[in-house]
Amino acid sequence: MLVMGILNVTPDSFADGGRHNDYDAAVTRGLEMIDEGVDIIDIGGESTRPGADRVTEAEEIARTIPVITELAKHGVKISIDTMRATTAEAAINAGASIINDVSGGLADPHMLQTAARLQVPYIAMHWRGQSKDMNSKAFYGDVVTDVISELKERITAALEAGIHDSNLIIDPGLGFAKDAHHNWEIIDSIEAFVALGYPVLVGGSRKRFLGGDSPDDREQATIELTKRLAATGVWAVRVHSVKPHKEVLAK
């Protein structure tokens, strides 16, 4: 299982907002991740925490592209965490090699076609709406069945747009339009997502459903989640700290 390290070049991300919100701090953290053995660095310039405001395309690009350009020189694999096709293309041109779209192509009508044209791996996450209102959409008959059904729709849309089957990765979207019990039900049934036949990314790092009073208090629970997922066939975990997760997976 791979470890994808989170690098948010933002002032307002829920777990690390402001810690790497300038070029020097972000590059320094990226180099630390490389030293810790990270497999992929996921660089984002727009917070998707519940209630977050969107930033402009220009701001998102200004935050991310210089950092991608520098870190790509060190040979590390980089994904761009964006819902915008223009940002995705700029990032790929700067040295990123994966598009991580939390909206699964729903936020930007040009995203799927852009990913297909660029011929790079594309991560489609389960998503029901922007951060401002996603919590109001956490209603399911059976969350596992419903999320799989909606992910299948995104898979079909991606393939019809021309994304190659071998370039498609899926993410059940823990914490996005999901209450705590929904997240746990998905984790308990994660093999059902793996059974769809596509690599599965899981991003539960330091999220509220893990307990604790603050994001930092949830680090140990995040490590335990990585241990739990290691035997399920999941492709990668998206986490804030790299070293402890690499160590757990090496045991």
Side-chain angles (χ1 to χ4, degrees):
M1 187 166 71
L2 302 181
V3 173
M4 175 185 282
I6 299 167
L7 185 54
N8 289 319
V9 193
T10 60
D12 57 343
S13 293
F14 83 96
D16 60 352
R19 294 183 186 178
H20 314 117
N21 188 34
D22 64 62
Y23 173 84
D24 289 337
V27 169
T28 297
R29 177 58 188 142
L31 294 175
E32 289 174 352
M33 288 185 186
I34 294 171
D35 287 342
E36 293 171 358
V38 73
D39 297 296
I40 304 163
I41 298 180
D42 191 47
I43 299 177
E46 179 177 42
S47 174
T48 53
R49 64 177 173 78
D53 291 313
R54 297 212 68 186
V55 301
T56 65
E57 173 188 312
E59 179 67 19
E60 185 183 29
I61 287 175
R63 290 174 177 179
T64 56
I65 300 307
V67 178
I68 291 170
T69 300
E70 179 58 32
L71 292 179
K73 296 176 183 177
H74 297 269
V76 66
K77 186 171 288 188
I78 296 170
S79 56
I80 175 66
D81 177 4
T82 184
M83 293 183 281
R84 290 187 174 100
T86 49
T87 304
E89 184 156 10
I92 298 301
N93 290 337
S97 57
I98 301 171
I99 298 169
N100 182 15
D101 177 8
V102 300
S103 81
L106 291 170
D108 184 337
H110 303 292
M111 177 62 93
L112 297 180
Q113 290 83 357
T114 298
R117 176 168 51 81
L118 294 170
Q119 297 183 359
V120 295
Y122 174 78
I123 303 170
M125 195 192 79
H126 176 263
W127 187 83
R128 283 187 166 182
Q130 298 288 352
S131 298
K132 278 291 186 183
D133 63 355
M134 67 179 178
N135 283 347
S136 67
K137 299 180 179 181
F139 295 97
Y140 302 89
D142 177 274
V143 66
V144 173
T145 300
D146 292 352
V147 171
I148 285 176
S149 176
E150 291 169 34
L151 271 177
K152 284 181 175 179
E153 292 176 2
R154 304 320 305 152
I155 290 169
T156 298
L159 296 176
E160 289 180 348
I163 295 176
H164 196 276
D165 190 74
S166 63
N167 273 337
L168 191 55
I169 299 160
I170 58 174
D171 181 340
L174 298 181
F176 286 79
K178 296 170 189 72
D179 295 331
H181 68 96
H182 295 138
N183 296 321
W184 286 116
E185 288 176 42
I186 288 170
I187 291 167
D188 287 342
S189 300
I190 199 67
E191 289 91 344
F193 292 86
V194 174
L196 294 175
Y198 295 92
V200 174
L201 172 67
V202 176
S205 185
R206 300 183 184 177
K207 291 185 176 178
R208 191 174 296 130
F209 76 93
L210 293 173
D213 295 327
S214 71
D216 287 342
D217 292 337
R218 302 168 192 142
E219 178 57 26
Q220 188 55 46
T222 304
I223 295 168
E224 293 301 317
L225 179 59
T226 291
K227 289 169 63 176
R228 178 172 176 174
L229 293 171
T232 64
V234 163
W235 168 71
V237 287
R238 182 179 181 273
V239 296
H240 291 87
S241 63
V242 172
K243 186 176 180 180
H245 296 274
K246 292 295 291 188
E247 290 175 344
V248 161
L249 293 174
K251 293 179 179 178

